[in-house]
Amino acid sequence: MCAYYADKNIKVHPDDIFLTCGTSEAYSILFHLLCDMDDEVLCQSPAYPLLDHLAAYAGITTRPFNALPVDIGKAKAVVVVNPANPTGLYADLPAWSDLERYCGKHEIPIISDEVFFDFDWRDRPRVSGASRTTGLHFTLSGVSKMLGLPQMKLAWIVLSGPEKERREAAVRLEAVADAFLSVNAPSQNALSSWLRNKDSFIEEVKDRVKTNFETLKKVMDRPIPQPQGGWYALVPVPEGSSDETLALRLLEEQNVVVHPGYFFDLEKEYLVVSLLPDPALFLEAASRLAETAGL
């Protein structure tokens, strides 16, 4: 794990890495660690819909925000998905600095979800929460997205920030990890081999999603927002139409599965489209989408 981050010019100590059986478990651990019943976590919008359910299981609530400043209220942490899901936009350095100043002022930590971090379409420098030292950060990632291995159930939390806060959090995380011991030994033993071979999988996925995005742009007769990473695209819904109604029509009439944008708290009407299918299949699905939606 340290070598993985060292390749990104980020120095991580083994004592600051905590393995979990998935990022969902990592969220659950952190929500219980940082919050009391009825507290809140602020989630940068648009956000992954699973967060609402994980927060509810921990007895807390999520509250979306689009920009700073925001009312802290009962919030005990801020969640940033980097790159955002489903927009695929990365948090740049000015955004990180603004967020750190604001969280530092209110003494609350930042949780950075970076499961799509390596799927950068631009191949440019990116800012990871694991590299930040101003304020306490918990950076999440795992093999489910990075290596396409959701069944292997292995993810991690990386602690970064000031020494005192980091060590206090580490002691508490160690107690939780030791109580559950949820990560299986075969996955732990295989991790180094998986990570050595990660680049071929990541490049294959990036080639696929970029190819399908170009197909989507050709099929549609309207501008499509340009992602910076990840493997989703947003398709604007025609004026006067409903994203949910259109998603249901595509499913029932065309056997095409898309997500309505409101699943992700998108403010405007969009369809969220996966760019992962086989290119020939994707072309057919995109054509059906365009025909059904009048795009």
Side-chain angles (χ1 to χ4, degrees):
M1 290 305 314
C2 293
Y4 164 77
Y5 282 100
D7 286 343
K8 305 179 188 302
N9 297 314
I10 301 172
K11 185 177 181 180
V12 174
H13 193 278
D15 290 347
D16 293 326
I17 300 172
F18 297 84
L19 299 183
T20 68
C21 71
T23 50
S24 292
E25 184 186 53
Y27 273 118
S28 180
I29 289 171
L30 293 175
F31 289 164
H32 282 94
L33 189 76
L34 301 171
C35 302
D36 294 320
M37 293 290 288
D38 298 324
D39 280 340
E40 296 177 325
V41 289
L42 295 172
C43 296
Q44 199 164 34
S45 182
Y48 190 48
L50 180 62
L51 296 179
D52 294 339
H53 298 284
L54 296 175
Y57 300 151
I60 64 173
T61 56
T62 61
R63 181 154 51 90
F65 74 98
N66 299 106
L68 299 175
V70 61
D71 177 29
I72 291 296
K74 299 172 67 176
K76 294 297 179 63
V78 173
V79 176
V80 177
V81 181
N82 185 29
N85 182 12
T87 62
L89 301 179
Y90 286 88
D92 59 18
L93 187 54
W96 269 113
S97 299
D98 290 344
L99 185 59
E100 287 168 347
R101 282 193 293 270
Y102 202 72
C103 290
K105 176 182 177 182
H106 296 281
E107 298 183 335
I108 60 174
I110 298 170
I111 301 172
S112 180
D113 183 335
E114 299 185 359
V115 295
F116 290 108
F117 191 80
D118 289 316
F119 298 95
D120 176 21
W121 297 18
R122 309 163 303 165
D123 294 318
R124 298 175 184 174
R126 309 176 300 283
V127 183
S128 167
S131 68
R132 310 303 295 164
T133 58
T134 302
L136 187 60
H137 293 72
F138 300 91
T139 301
L140 314 184
S141 191
V143 303
S144 176
K145 304 296 191 300
M146 183 193 299
L147 296 166
L149 295 173
Q151 70 276 21
M152 294 297 100
K153 308 310 297 177
L154 181 59
W156 53 86
I157 303 168
V158 175
L159 275 175
S160 59
E163 176 72 16
K164 181 177 181 294
E165 289 89 337
R166 206 169 71 245
R167 295 278 59 83
E168 289 175 352
V171 169
R172 298 169 68 188
L173 279 173
E174 285 170 358
V176 176
D178 190 54
F180 288 97
L181 296 174
S182 59
V183 184
N184 67 77
S187 291
Q188 292 188 60
N189 290 330
L191 181 58
S192 60
S193 175
W194 291 340
L195 290 177
R196 283 196 299 270
N197 294 284
K198 73 181 187 308
D199 291 343
S200 59
F201 174 77
I202 290 171
E203 290 305 315
E204 182 178 353
V205 170
K206 287 164 62 175
D207 288 344
R208 169 75 64 86
V209 299
K210 286 189 281 188
T211 295
N212 283 340
F213 185 72
E214 291 303 314
T215 296
L216 187 65
K217 290 197 298 183
K218 291 177 182 177
V219 169
M220 303 298 165
D221 69 350
R222 61 182 57 208
I224 306 295
Q226 175 69 52
Q228 296 173 345
W231 54 51
Y232 292 103
L234 303 182
V235 175
V237 171
E239 186 175 352
S241 298
S242 158
D243 55 358
E244 182 177 38
T245 300
L246 187 51
L248 288 172
R249 279 191 60 200
L250 285 164
L251 179 63
E252 294 168 352
E253 300 174 10
Q254 299 290 353
N255 282 338
V256 173
V257 178
V258 297
H259 295 300
Y262 78 84
F263 278 11
F264 300 85
D265 295 325
L266 290 167
E267 292 185 342
K268 296 181 179 180
E269 299 278 334
Y270 286 101
L271 298 178
V272 179
V273 176
S274 171
L275 299 173
L276 287 177
D278 175 88
L281 183 64
F282 184 84
L283 173 59
E284 174 64 23
S287 300
R288 294 185 187 187
L289 192 164
E291 179 182 356
T292 303
L295 300 173

